[in-house]
Amino acid sequence: MLKFNIQKAFNNNAVNDNVLHFEGEIELSGVCTIFGDSGAGKTTLLRCLAGLETCEGQIQFNQQAWLNTNALVNQNKFLLATEKRRIGMVFQEPRLFPHLNVQQNLLLAVAKATTQEHSDNIFTIDKLAQQLGFSELLTYQTTQLSGGQKQRIAIARALLTNPTLLIMDEPLSSLDISSKNLLLPFLKLVSLHIPILYVTHSIHELFYLSKNMLLVNEGKVEAIGEPQKLFLDSELSLRKFAHQGLIVNVQVKTIDLTEGLIEGLVDGQTLFINTVEEPKTKSIQVKINSRDVIIATKPIMDSSLLNCLSVQLVDFMKDDKNSMILTLKIGSQFIYARITSRSFHKLQLEVGSCVYAHVKTMSIIN
Amino acid sequence: MLKFNIQKAFNNNAVNDNVLHFEGEIELSGVCTIFGDSGAGKTTLLRCLAGLETCEGQIQFNQQAWLNTNALVNQNKFLLATEKRRIGMVFQEPRLFPHLNVQQNLLLAVAKATTQEHSDNIFTIDKLAQQLGFSELLTYQTTQLSGGQKQRIAIARALLTNPTLLIMDEPLSSLDISSKNLLLPFLKLVSLHIPILYVTHSIHELFYLSKNMLLVNEGKVEAIGEPQKLFLDSELSLRKFAHQGLIVNVQVKTIDLTEGLIEGLVDGQTLFINTVEEPKTKSIQVKINSRDVIIATKPIMDSSLLNCLSVQLVDFMKDDKNSMILTLKIGSQFIYARITSRSFHKLQLEVGSCVYAHVKTMSIIN
Amino acid sequence: STVKNKPLNIAVASNFKLSAQHIAHEFTEISGIKVNISSASTATLYQQILRGAPFDVFLSADQKHIDLLIDANKVNQEHEFIYAQGRLVFWKPDITRVPTLQDFLLYDGRLAIANPKFAPYGIAAEETLKSIKKWQVQQYIKGNNINQAYQFVESKNVRAGLVAYASVIQKQQKNYVIIPQEWHHPIKQAGIVLNNDETKHAQLFRQFLLSENMQKYIKSQGYN
Amino acid sequence: MLTAGDYQAIWLTLKLASLTTLLLMIMAPPLAWWLARSQTKIRPLVESLVALPLILPPTVLGFYLLIAFSPEHFLGEWWLSFNDSSLAFSFTGLVIASVIYSLPFVVQPLQSAFVHLDKSYLEVSATLGYGKFERLYKIIFPMLLPSFIIAGALGFAHTIGEFGVVLMIGGNIPGETQVLSILLFDHVESLEYASAHKLSFILLAFSMSVLVVIYGCLQKRQQRVLNA
Amino acid sequence: MLTAGDYQAIWLTLKLASLTTLLLMIMAPPLAWWLARSQTKIRPLVESLVALPLILPPTVLGFYLLIAFSPEHFLGEWWLSFNDSSLAFSFTGLVIASVIYSLPFVVQPLQSAFVHLDKSYLEVSATLGYGKFERLYKIIFPMLLPSFIIAGALGFAHTIGEFGVVLMIGGNIPGETQVLSILLFDHVESLEYASAHKLSFILLAFSMSVLVVIYGCLQKRQQRVLNA
Ligand SMILES: Nc1ncnc2c1ncn2[C@@H]1O[C@H](COP(=O)(O)OP(=O)(O)OP(=O)(O)O)[C@@H](O)[C@H]1O
Ligand SMILES: Nc1ncnc2c1ncn2[C@@H]1O[C@H](COP(=O)(O)OP(=O)(O)OP(=O)(O)O)[C@@H](O)[C@H]1O
Ligand SMILES: [Mg+2]
Ligand SMILES: [Mg+2]
């Protein structure tokens, strides 16, 4: 549990100061993604939490106080130094030490990790080098690396300190697609052991990684919660991403690993999901993008579409000139569909209509 | 026209040097995207072209020689200094000058631009500040900016020098989605005036921006050509992105701006495309992602799907455990479809089958 | 009279600087000739003159350096003169009475002297100590010149020293005893006219310096 | 309170320090730049030569300069060929000696700044169209202004404090070569403590206030840039 | 070739310079760090004080030290309370004076390096678990090693070349305070030019070779890091 109520004032030569005020409480398990516009204050929030930025207020990490400047009169203000917070941090830039080569950079992190209680760090340099694909780079000087190579090493370094909390600021944005595809599952795995605070601009990463998200807007925490909940909320600044899609809970019925298909139930209706490995739990979450949902008044036959859900149209709104966003109800859950206005009119849809929503199995993000 | 044949040797403390050898010729109009894995040599290529990295070989920009170290015995080696090449450059990091505020940083670029021939620079600080959304930041110190804010200013700075070639190294990777959505069309517009060499890891940006791409792999230029051509080529390192999709040429028939729809023809068959503005030319290019293509043995009726193309299956391959990639022929053009193996078998498809390919209008990338 | 305005440059060993200033002042009053005084250690001035320093008169603290200049054919021997003779005193400011020679003979603390290697007063001090068989017995604190030896004592860093009579007179000190003349060779301070140009200003200054009045004044400043 | 001689020495010292600093600020930046970047084998040698005045006792340096300036040697001879008095004991001689003596004080802060200068800023400047020299004075100079100011201030200060060299080659001639440090030493040597204390105090007060102002401004600027 | 006195002076000089450098390398880094980062109002004052030995002619500095060392003043008195001879004319006195005199030479390169040090490296170190002091000696020190070496070398070199201060407070005692620079001056003053030239040559050759080696190593390292 990470609980904070902090204020940070920046003096920007402007008439009035730029005051950021973050308040919230995050359940620390898995990845919590921090999401928001450029300049919203994500980096500042992370830096305050890491103790790299002086700020006013309180921060509480599990049982441990990290900051308390609102102490009672006869008490001392309390500030736990960054190095005592046992966090691993990946910055927006790699920040490798220029006087050391790759291996030495990593050893600097290892040296510190082994002197702390949990000497049984689950990560070692060799394992990480293999998993993140930089085994041949170990003897390189850091100035000899490409942008993406540096970033992978920065991630390894943060992990090697054996942290109790991992803070990552857009760690994958400079990586190529293959590296991203390698690292995303890796980070998801890591998050089973170490909670991660994760800043990203990618909705894909957001939904792929996180059970929990924190929405930052104009220097404030706008909302904290499950991504699918927040994306459904039309009051939030996320509204502009409404077209993106939602997460639904699926009960696993059968798993066919040879075909790589899961047959699941969404409130009683069958949904096929592609997979590469057996899911860990009976109940899984998948993301259905609004742009992938096809609406039909009759079930579609004789096509490659495997999924046909009987849904009810509960709301619709014009998104931009040519598209409509429909909110569809499946039992107790919702999905969005984004279709052209022309189709909307052609199908003569209205609130309450019962229609069929089709989604390609390939489009469902597990 | 940018023609180069350059060699760059890095000494990486390894037994043998790491020699990059780039050879190619690029038509300079619009955006040419440089694509490749992390560490493939994209940044190095750009730096060599910009004259920031010493290298051997020749570079020819239109009529102008930029580098020639292979001169004849009695001739001098030739190297045009970076500042004389009239290029604008956006680096992987923003690199703003820390002692100047935002406005002063930009003025430094303007000062140089007006002393050159074309004093009628199409860009001004005010216009760019508005277009890129940093009007309120002009008086900020650069240390007071967020990562994304810095990057937008770095882009503006490069444009203000009034360059004859713009070189951009992953310029949008640190930006939020709104900024990306703002900047992508903007850069496309810019590229009508100034050719752009553009490094990105995003296939979306690649297809959105560029008519031309240069594929870099392991320190070599693997291929140069239209993106759709290269993505079709199974010999290239791009094969791993085959699932992503292809570009098709569409003849514009009618444009309905109220509904935001273009009705076009793909080799005689109707295709609806959404749009926000009237296309500039009669022939446009759109991208159809393989994951968005639905195959049916009969045309699908009574659904939100507007596009139904009659296609012929010319090839298929297993992609991973559970999916198949089908190559479909529409007249003289091709698209990919990615469907589950289960659907593939259910529909009893085989090479030569004539089927119907459906694509949501919303899924087509204009 | 434009010629008169050309100042006379006089190089003075630093121990004689204050007296020289007074004399120069008087000289200017009478003759109207401006005088510039430059002071440094004798050895430094010697080297500078050897390398063409624009001095008209050189007032050394000893005779040796003048002789060296003559040997080097830099100057004419006729222009040499003795303008003063220095005296050494044993100065011990931390006793309540005026010390006697007996005090000097019995003193066995650290003693401040000028460097016997090159400073004229230092050479005299060495001779003195040798004559009373105290050389090599005592520990010396060597000043670069005699005034520095004086400073060492004055700042109480050394309890006693062999310093110039002129210094204790100038600073109106009391607790000193004059070292008998026989204990060392006389500290003859020689001077020489370096620039014997048509104006003869330098010669005028020499005459003035050796005049009875000025010699009397010099004696009053602690010289013989 | 101060004698005419004191004023003369102060004025002469300021003149010498200003002129020396000016010359150094012209010569030192290119040298420092070269020392910071060059990869040639002779660089360590040049670097050591520049640092030499730090090691050599100033009087010894002065002694050898005196020999070099004397008409018997090339430099002095060449000077005498179109001047009627020797290079030693002249103001020009002092300026030359001071430039040599204070060179490391100006070169070293600049070199250190240049070494720490991230070359990415140079690259950006080039892509903005700034040529080799424009880069230096339009971008690097304003960017490293604090280092230039410190270099200048140190050069100036050290020239004011210079003593040993001037003692040897100056000849302590009032109005020509008798600078403040020499006059001060003179006062001390001739036991004129009151004058010595007075001059020291003035020297101290002046230097300290100049330095405090400079360092204060630099601190403000640093604050602004770092945005504490 | 060299006399016993020469050897003694050389040995003494090396001892003095080493000890002084050692003390400076302990004192200077924290001071330089504070000067590079502090935002307090008194920082420019302290900065100016540190720079003072650059401005004040060394003989004048020596003169005031002589006064300060005398038993009439606090420092000298305190020293005499547990020593039987005065602080002036002692090796300890020389060390104290040298530390004061060479302080700016060590502080300034370090301060400059610290100012140019990107604070992001400190932040990374903190997130890696390195505490305030560990950061300094486990990360910043190795990272800025060249600056530390240069600072040490300059302090050492300048102590060797120190003359004015030692002249005033040393008293020219062989084996105790007669360092090389004083002996050299002695030779010059007593017109023993041959000895002077010899000693100068040795001083030069030694210093130059040390400097050339140091600068050469630093250049290599720079090459490796910058990867020319
Ligand atoms: N040191 C600073 N001084 C003053 N203002 C600052 C400072 N750092 C950040 N800001 C301001 O605070 C706001 C939040 O910045 P922050 O870096 O936290 O944004 P961000 O959400 O991380 O954005 P991005 O996605 O672009 O990285 C911005 O408006 C920025 O201008
Ligand atoms: N200065 C250098 N010295 C030695 N090797 C270098 C240097 N710069 C780059 N390299 C090597 O050259 C290769 C290409 O690097 P480059 O930076 O061009 O990659 P990139 O394609 O831009 O990668 P990324 O997408 O990660 O930015 C890498 O393997 C890198 O290790
Ligand atoms: Mg940020
Ligand atoms: Mg790159």
Side-chain angles (χ1 to χ4, degrees):
Chain A
M1 191 264 321
L2 180 67
K3 197 172 157 188
F4 52 86
N5 180 355
I6 43 182
Q7 274 190 288
K8 171 77 199 171
F10 281 127
N11 174 4
N12 288 333
N13 304 359
V15 192
N16 40 10
D17 278 6
N18 178 5
V19 182
L20 315 181
H21 184 165
F22 303 107
E23 181 170 0
E25 180 171 346
I26 311 172
E27 202 48 64
L28 283 178
S29 74
V31 177
C32 173
T33 297
I34 298 175
F35 198 80
D37 283 351
S38 172
K42 304 178 293 298
T43 301
T44 308
L45 172 59
L46 292 189
R47 289 174 56 80
C48 288
L49 291 177
L52 298 174
E53 201 82 62
T54 54
C55 58
E56 297 288 303
Q58 296 123 308
I59 306 175
Q60 180 86 24
F61 177 75
N62 293 336
Q63 308 320 323
Q64 197 180 26
W66 276 3
L67 177 78
N68 191 354
T69 63
N70 314 19
L72 295 173
V73 189
N74 54 352
Q75 285 183 311
N76 279 330
K77 294 192 171 193
F78 181 78
L79 169 72
L80 192 73
T82 302
E83 63 269 19
K84 302 227 178 78
R85 297 189 187 184
R86 296 200 57 206
I87 49 175
M89 188 144 180
V90 179
F91 295 85
Q92 237 167 322
E93 333 73 49
R95 300 194 181 183
L96 302 178
F97 293 111
H99 63 299
L100 302 175
N101 70 17
V102 171
Q103 179 137 37
Q104 290 164 332
N105 262 286
L106 297 175
L107 282 174
L108 218 50
V110 174
K112 235 16 221 184
T114 48
T115 63
Q116 293 176 345
E117 308 97 82
H118 302 271
S119 55
D120 52 333
N121 196 336
I122 45 170
F123 304 108
T124 64
I125 293 185
D126 288 341
K127 261 201 273 173
L128 282 174
Q130 226 168 2
Q131 284 174 296
L132 307 187
F134 57 81
S135 304
E136 316 92 78
L137 304 178
L138 282 176
T139 58
Y140 277 44
Q141 291 295 318
T142 56
T143 44
Q144 299 174 329
L145 301 176
S146 80
Q149 290 167 338
K150 280 187 204 154
Q151 194 62 12
R152 277 178 279 159
I153 286 148
I155 292 171
R157 178 173 64 174
L159 289 172
L160 285 169
T161 57
N162 192 19
T164 53
L165 174 66
L166 198 56
I167 298 183
M168 310 182 98
D169 201 351
E170 304 186 35
L172 306 189
S173 69
S174 64
L175 294 184
D176 60 6
I177 300 172
S178 329
S179 306
K180 272 188 187 127
N181 288 343
L182 193 78
L183 275 162
L184 274 176
F186 173 75
L187 289 179
K188 198 162 184 171
L189 207 71
V190 167
S191 74
L192 298 178
H193 303 98
I194 305 168
I196 304 182
L197 282 184
Y198 189 90
V199 168
T200 185
H201 288 306
S202 154
I203 295 193
H204 175 69
E205 290 175 23
L206 164 68
F207 277 109
Y208 179 85
L209 285 176
S210 52
K211 287 197 278 191
N212 211 347
M213 81 178 271
L214 189 151
L215 183 63
V216 178
N217 191 29
E218 295 185 348
K220 303 250 165 327
V221 175
E222 198 178 33
I224 302 180
E226 291 177 39
Q228 58 266 49
K229 289 249 176 62
L230 301 196
F231 272 85
L232 257 179
D233 192 334
S234 62
E235 302 281 289
L236 295 178
S237 60
L238 281 179
R239 228 192 23 184
K240 55 181 176 251
F241 301 116
H243 60 275
Q244 285 285 342
L246 286 176
I247 297 250
V248 291
N249 289 311
V250 182
Q251 299 303 317
V252 177
K253 224 168 74 186
T254 63
I255 304 164
D256 182 345
L257 277 184
T258 49
E259 263 193 314
L261 278 186
I262 294 173
E263 190 179 339
L265 287 177
V266 183
D267 282 81
Q269 303 194 47
T270 303
L271 190 74
F272 288 99
I273 301 154
N274 75 66
T275 186
V276 280
E277 47 172 29
E278 201 157 334
K280 300 262 174 332
T281 54
K282 270 280 140 199
S283 167
I284 59 171
Q285 300 193 311
V286 297
K287 185 181 170 216
I288 298 177
N289 287 329
S290 54
R291 61 190 281 284
D292 293 329
V293 179
I294 298 147
I295 304 295
T297 48
K298 295 185 203 135
I300 296 174
M301 300 298 180
D302 303 322
S303 84
S304 60
L305 293 165
L306 294 179
N307 295 316
C308 175
L309 300 166
S310 162
V311 298
Q312 193 180 18
L313 176 63
V314 292
D315 190 18
F316 61 87
M317 61 181 236
K318 222 176 160 62
D319 184 37
D320 47 42
K321 223 181 251 166
N322 54 3
S323 68
M324 305 288 282
I325 295 193
L326 319 182
T327 312
L328 305 168
K329 193 159 180 258
I330 320 172
S332 63
Q333 301 191 55
F334 297 90
I335 59 171
Y336 284 137
R338 188 172 180 216
I339 62 175
T340 53
S341 308
R342 181 170 294 193
S343 301
F344 184 78
H345 294 125
K346 186 181 85 177
L347 296 174
Q348 296 175 320
L349 298 177
E350 52 193 33
V351 171
S353 300
C354 284
V355 290
Y356 297 92
H358 298 81
V359 200
K360 280 193 68 173
T361 306
M362 283 287 112
S363 306
I364 297 174
I365 297 162
N366 180 0
Chain B
M1 192 265 320
L2 180 68
K3 199 172 157 188
F4 53 85
N5 181 354
I6 44 183
Q7 274 190 288
K8 171 77 198 171
F10 283 127
N11 173 4
N12 289 330
N13 304 0
V15 192
N16 41 6
D17 279 4
N18 178 5
V19 181
L20 314 181
H21 184 165
F22 303 108
E23 181 170 1
E25 179 170 347
I26 311 172
E27 202 48 64
L28 283 177
S29 73
V31 177
C32 173
T33 297
I34 298 174
F35 197 82
D37 284 350
S38 174
K42 304 177 294 299
T43 301
T44 307
L45 172 59
L46 291 190
R47 289 174 57 79
C48 288
L49 291 178
L52 298 174
E53 202 83 60
T54 53
C55 57
E56 297 288 303
Q58 296 122 308
I59 307 175
Q60 179 86 23
F61 177 75
N62 292 337
Q63 308 320 323
Q64 196 179 26
W66 277 2
L67 177 78
N68 191 354
T69 63
N70 314 19
L72 296 173
V73 188
N74 54 351
Q75 283 182 313
N76 279 330
K77 293 192 172 192
F78 181 78
L79 169 71
L80 192 73
T82 302
E83 63 269 18
K84 301 227 177 79
R85 297 190 186 184
R86 296 201 56 207
I87 49 173
M89 188 143 180
V90 180
F91 295 85
Q92 236 168 323
E93 333 73 50
R95 301 196 179 182
L96 302 179
F97 293 111
H99 64 299
L100 301 176
N101 70 18
V102 172
Q103 179 137 39
Q104 291 163 332
N105 261 287
L106 296 175
L107 282 175
L108 217 50
V110 174
K112 238 13 223 184
T114 49
T115 62
Q116 293 176 343
E117 308 96 82
H118 302 270
S119 56
D120 52 334
N121 195 334
I122 46 170
F123 304 108
T124 65
I125 293 185
D126 289 343
K127 261 201 273 175
L128 282 174
Q130 227 168 1
Q131 284 173 297
L132 307 187
F134 58 80
S135 303
E136 317 92 77
L137 303 179
L138 282 176
T139 58
Y140 277 44
Q141 291 296 318
T142 55
T143 44
Q144 300 174 328
L145 300 176
S146 80
Q149 290 167 339
K150 279 187 205 153
Q151 195 61 12
R152 277 179 278 159
I153 286 149
I155 293 172
R157 179 173 64 175
L159 289 173
L160 285 168
T161 56
N162 192 20
T164 52
L165 174 66
L166 197 57
I167 297 183
M168 310 181 96
D169 200 351
E170 303 187 36
L172 306 189
S173 69
S174 63
L175 293 184
D176 59 5
I177 300 171
S178 330
S179 306
K180 273 189 186 125
N181 288 342
L182 192 79
L183 276 161
L184 274 176
F186 172 77
L187 289 179
K188 198 160 185 173
L189 207 71
V190 166
S191 74
L192 298 179
H193 302 98
I194 307 167
I196 304 181
L197 281 184
Y198 189 91
V199 168
T200 185
H201 288 305
S202 155
I203 294 192
H204 175 68
E205 290 174 23
L206 163 70
F207 277 108
Y208 180 86
L209 286 176
S210 52
K211 288 197 277 187
N212 212 346
M213 82 180 269
L214 188 151
L215 184 63
V216 178
N217 192 28
E218 295 184 349
K220 302 252 168 322
V221 174
E222 198 178 32
I224 304 180
E226 291 178 40
Q228 57 269 48
K229 289 248 175 65
L230 301 197
F231 272 84
L232 257 177
D233 192 334
S234 63
E235 302 282 288
L236 295 179
S237 60
L238 281 179
R239 228 190 23 182
K240 56 182 174 250
F241 302 115
H243 60 277
Q244 285 284 342
L246 286 176
I247 297 250
V248 292
N249 290 310
V250 182
Q251 299 303 315
V252 177
K253 222 167 73 183
T254 64
I255 303 162
D256 182 346
L257 277 183
T258 50
E259 264 192 315
L261 279 185
I262 294 174
E263 191 180 337
L265 287 177
V266 182
D267 281 80
Q269 303 195 47
T270 303
L271 191 75
F272 288 98
I273 301 154
N274 75 66
T275 187
V276 280
E277 46 171 27
E278 201 158 332
K280 300 265 175 327
T281 53
K282 271 280 139 198
S283 167
I284 59 173
Q285 300 194 308
V286 296
K287 185 183 171 214
I288 297 176
N289 287 330
S290 55
R291 61 193 280 284
D292 293 329
V293 178
I294 297 147
I295 304 293
T297 46
K298 294 182 206 141
I300 296 174
M301 301 295 176
D302 302 320
S303 84
S304 60
L305 292 165
L306 294 179
N307 295 317
C308 175
L309 300 166
S310 165
V311 297
Q312 194 182 16
L313 178 63
V314 292
D315 190 17
F316 62 85
M317 60 181 237
K318 221 173 162 64
D319 185 35
D320 46 42
K321 221 180 250 166
N322 53 5
S323 68
M324 305 289 280
I325 295 192
L326 318 183
T327 312
L328 306 168
K329 191 158 181 257
I330 321 171
S332 63
Q333 302 191 54
F334 298 89
I335 59 172
Y336 282 139
R338 189 173 182 213
I339 63 174
T340 53
S341 307
R342 180 169 294 194
S343 300
F344 183 78
H345 295 124
K346 186 182 85 178
L347 295 175
Q348 296 176 320
L349 297 177
E350 52 192 35
V351 171
S353 300
C354 283
V355 291
Y356 297 91
H358 299 80
V359 199
K360 281 193 68 172
T361 306
M362 283 288 110
S363 305
I364 298 174
I365 297 161
N366 182 358
Chain C
S1 70
T2 47
V3 193
K4 256 193 173 171
N5 288 338
K6 186 176 170 281
L8 195 60
N9 286 327
I10 296 183
V12 183
S14 25
N15 72 308
F16 194 66
K17 186 194 167 202
L18 275 191
S19 308
Q21 258 172 350
H22 175 82
I23 294 163
H25 186 71
E26 302 271 289
F27 178 66
T28 308
E29 293 267 285
I30 292 169
S31 65
I33 299 167
K34 240 184 121 240
V35 176
N36 273 340
I37 299 266
S38 301
S39 69
S41 77
T42 301
T44 303
L45 290 172
Y46 161 77
Q47 279 154 21
Q48 291 176 339
I49 289 163
L50 210 56
R51 304 209 155 71
F55 299 128
D56 300 311
V57 179
F58 173 30
L59 301 182
S60 167
D62 61 5
Q63 209 167 357
K64 180 178 131 205
H65 286 92
I66 300 286
D67 293 344
L68 283 171
L69 283 176
I70 293 166
D71 289 349
N73 283 325
K74 288 279 161 186
V75 290
N76 190 337
Q77 186 163 17
E78 301 165 4
H79 299 139
E80 188 188 350
F81 54 88
I82 305 287
Y83 64 93
Q85 188 175 338
R87 293 301 301 269
L88 269 184
V89 300
F90 173 69
W91 178 37
K92 192 162 187 302
D94 63 353
I95 50 175
T96 48
R97 61 190 163 79
V98 174
T100 61
L101 281 176
Q102 195 59 27
D103 288 322
F104 172 48
L105 293 173
L106 290 176
Y107 178 75
D108 68 346
R110 297 202 294 188
L111 189 68
I113 58 173
N115 197 323
K117 252 180 108 179
F118 47 81
Y121 284 89
I123 295 166
E126 181 181 339
E127 288 168 358
T128 303
L129 290 163
K130 274 182 175 153
S131 69
I132 62 169
K133 308 269 182 310
K134 282 185 74 171
W135 187 245
Q136 301 294 3
V137 178
Q138 213 155 9
Q139 201 191 357
Y140 310 106
I141 306 295
K142 284 172 276 184
N144 185 44
N145 55 35
I146 194 59
N147 278 353
Q148 214 189 345
Y150 175 88
Q151 264 159 22
F152 289 163
V153 181
E154 187 191 36
S155 65
K156 306 274 195 296
N157 282 300
V158 186
R159 286 173 50 218
L162 286 178
V163 303
Y165 186 30
S167 305
V168 290
I169 298 263
Q170 181 199 333
K171 297 299 242 180
Q172 292 158 10
Q173 300 290 353
K174 289 193 190 65
N175 302 338
Y176 61 84
V177 53
I178 298 182
I179 301 293
Q181 183 70 78
E182 317 80 68
W183 292 9
H184 59 83
H185 286 104
I187 309 169
K188 282 194 186 139
Q189 303 208 172
I192 195 154
V193 171
L194 299 164
N195 183 358
N196 197 26
D197 62 7
E198 73 277 14
T199 62
K200 305 276 186 226
H201 287 169
Q203 292 294 356
L204 279 180
F205 180 80
R206 170 189 166 176
Q207 278 161 26
F208 183 73
L209 179 66
L210 297 179
S211 70
E212 207 166 316
N213 257 345
M214 286 304 114
Q215 283 298 312
K216 216 153 132 207
Y217 167 75
I218 289 172
K219 283 213 172 75
S220 75
Q221 291 302 302
Y223 299 93
N224 267 2
Chain D
M1 194 181 95
L2 290 178
T3 67
D6 291 345
Y7 280 120
Q8 205 175 30
I10 290 174
W11 167 238
L12 189 70
T13 306
L14 289 179
K15 206 169 87 178
L16 176 67
S18 312
L19 199 60
T20 304
T21 309
L22 183 74
L23 289 174
L24 283 174
M25 290 310 280
I26 294 168
M27 293 162 45
L31 180 58
W33 187 261
W34 184 81
L35 288 178
R37 311 247 139 190
S38 163
Q39 302 293 359
T40 63
K41 287 244 169 74
I42 62 154
R43 182 184 117 183
L45 201 75
V46 179
E47 232 169 333
S48 311
L49 272 177
V50 169
L52 211 57
L54 290 177
I55 305 172
L56 226 49
T59 39
V60 174
L61 184 65
F63 174 63
Y64 286 107
L65 281 178
L66 187 64
I67 294 178
F69 285 0
S70 89
E72 280 153 31
H73 287 86
F74 165 72
L75 188 65
E77 193 188 336
W78 170 81
W79 172 262
L80 266 188
S81 69
F82 53 92
N83 275 285
D84 52 0
S85 62
S86 87
L87 190 52
F89 322 115
S90 71
F91 184 71
T92 315
L94 282 201
V95 172
I96 294 176
S98 302
V99 164
I100 294 173
Y101 185 54
S102 296
L103 187 64
F105 291 82
V106 182
V107 168
Q108 284 178 348
L110 289 180
Q111 187 183 343
S112 159
F114 293 155
V115 165
H116 291 112
L117 174 71
D118 195 331
K119 87 166 182 246
S120 69
Y121 294 118
L122 292 172
E123 293 181 355
V124 173
S125 315
T127 67
L128 292 180
Y130 288 87
K132 217 165 174 174
F133 291 101
E134 265 181 320
R135 279 208 278 283
L136 283 184
Y137 69 89
K138 287 210 178 138
I139 295 174
I140 302 311
F141 176 69
M143 193 161 155
L144 299 181
L145 193 61
S147 298
F148 278 87
I149 291 176
I150 285 185
L154 289 187
F156 191 85
H158 205 239
T159 307
I160 286 186
E162 176 186 327
F163 161 77
V165 179
V166 181
L167 180 75
M168 291 308 267
I169 66 154
N172 204 350
I173 303 167
E176 179 87 3
T177 60
Q178 189 182 58
V179 294
L180 200 56
S181 60
I182 296 286
L183 186 61
L184 241 168
F185 181 64
D186 226 44
H187 285 321
V188 171
E189 285 282 272
S190 42
L191 313 179
E192 299 164 328
Y193 297 141
S195 311
H197 293 325
K198 208 163 58 190
L199 272 190
S200 301
F201 177 78
I202 289 172
L203 182 62
L204 258 186
F206 169 74
S207 314
M208 281 294 285
S209 44
V210 170
L211 281 184
V212 167
V213 168
I214 289 179
Y215 284 129
C217 288
L218 292 182
Q219 186 186 27
K220 280 241 179 62
R221 184 191 148 113
Q222 189 192 17
Q223 244 158 352
R224 189 164 52 76
V225 171
L226 287 186
N227 187 50
Chain E
M1 195 181 91
L2 289 177
T3 66
D6 291 342
Y7 280 119
Q8 203 174 31
I10 290 173
W11 167 238
L12 188 71
T13 306
L14 289 178
K15 204 169 88 176
L16 176 67
S18 312
L19 198 59
T20 305
T21 309
L22 183 74
L23 290 174
L24 282 174
M25 290 310 280
I26 294 168
M27 292 162 47
L31 180 59
W33 187 261
W34 184 81
L35 287 179
R37 311 248 141 190
S38 163
Q39 301 293 358
T40 62
K41 288 245 168 74
I42 61 154
R43 183 185 116 182
L45 200 75
V46 179
E47 232 169 334
S48 310
L49 273 176
V50 170
L52 212 57
L54 289 179
I55 304 173
L56 224 51
T59 39
V60 175
L61 185 67
F63 173 63
Y64 287 107
L65 280 177
L66 188 67
I67 293 177
F69 283 1
S70 97
E72 278 170 8
H73 288 88
F74 164 74
L75 188 66
E77 193 188 335
W78 170 80
W79 173 261
L80 266 187
S81 69
F82 54 91
N83 276 285
D84 52 1
S85 62
S86 87
L87 193 51
F89 321 121
S90 71
F91 183 71
T92 314
L94 283 202
V95 172
I96 294 176
S98 302
V99 165
I100 294 174
Y101 184 54
S102 296
L103 185 65
F105 291 82
V106 181
V107 168
Q108 283 177 349
L110 289 179
Q111 187 182 344
S112 160
F114 293 157
V115 165
H116 291 112
L117 173 71
D118 196 332
K119 86 167 182 243
S120 69
Y121 294 118
L122 292 173
E123 292 181 355
V124 172
S125 315
T127 67
L128 292 180
Y130 288 88
K132 219 166 173 171
F133 291 102
E134 265 181 320
R135 279 208 277 283
L136 283 185
Y137 70 88
K138 288 214 178 135
I139 295 174
I140 302 309
F141 176 69
M143 193 161 155
L144 299 182
L145 193 61
S147 299
F148 277 86
I149 291 176
I150 285 185
L154 289 187
F156 191 85
H158 205 239
T159 307
I160 287 186
E162 175 184 330
F163 162 76
V165 179
V166 183
L167 181 74
M168 293 306 269
I169 64 160
N172 209 340
I173 304 170
E176 177 88 27
T177 59
Q178 190 183 58
V179 293
L180 201 54
S181 60
I182 295 286
L183 187 62
L184 241 168
F185 182 67
D186 245 38
H187 286 319
V188 171
E189 285 281 279
S190 39
L191 316 181
E192 298 163 347
Y193 295 139
S195 310
H197 293 323
K198 208 164 56 191
L199 271 190
S200 299
F201 177 79
I202 288 171
L203 182 61
L204 256 185
F206 170 74
S207 313
M208 280 295 284
S209 45
V210 170
L211 282 184
V212 167
V213 168
I214 289 179
Y215 284 128
C217 289
L218 292 182
Q219 187 187 26
K220 279 244 180 59
R221 184 189 149 114
Q222 189 192 16
Q223 243 157 353
R224 191 165 50 78
V225 170
L226 288 187
N227 186 49

